[in-house]
Amino acid sequence: MHTVRSGSPFETLASYSRAARAGDIVAVSGTAALDARGVALFPGDAAAQTRAALETALEAAAALGAAREDVIRTRIYLLAGTEWRGSVEVHGEIFRGVDPANTTLHVAELIPQDCLVEVELDAVASGPVKA
């Protein structure tokens, strides 16, 4: 198995990786729009947080050989009460033409403070591990 870590102290605390690859399967852990210090980017803007989180998730997948076109499933977790349309529209922009399976749902709480959105993705890698 190959893994990619972002350097987040939470990864060490919880013993997990940003993404993992077994065979050709790549799974990217829940990813929020955070800066290097773990502070939420774009407070109050679910669409901007979705874009940043998906970009981070796609970078992790790419390090393990999975391109955007290899993504087969995405999940968008929205903090309860968060307007969903902007997040879904960003997902549509990023994955148009790929059209992976998707689940979008509201949840009671997200762990990163001030985060409205967390995303996950799964892919079948078409390329070699780069990390």
Side-chain angles (χ1 to χ4, degrees), residues 11 14 31 68 72 79 86 95 109:
E11 289 173 347
T31 302
R68 178 186 74 93
I72 61 167
L79 185 63
F95 289 106
E109 187 174 358

Side-chain angles (χ1 to χ4, degrees), residues 2 19-28 58 60-73 121-130:
H2 298 276
R21 177 176 174 167
D24 290 337
I25 302 300
V26 174
V28 179
L58 286 168
L64 294 175
R68 178 186 74 93
E69 296 78 14
D70 297 331
V71 174
I72 61 167
R73 181 170 189 71
L121 62 83
D122 300 312
V124 179
S126 61
V129 173
K130 300 172 188 170

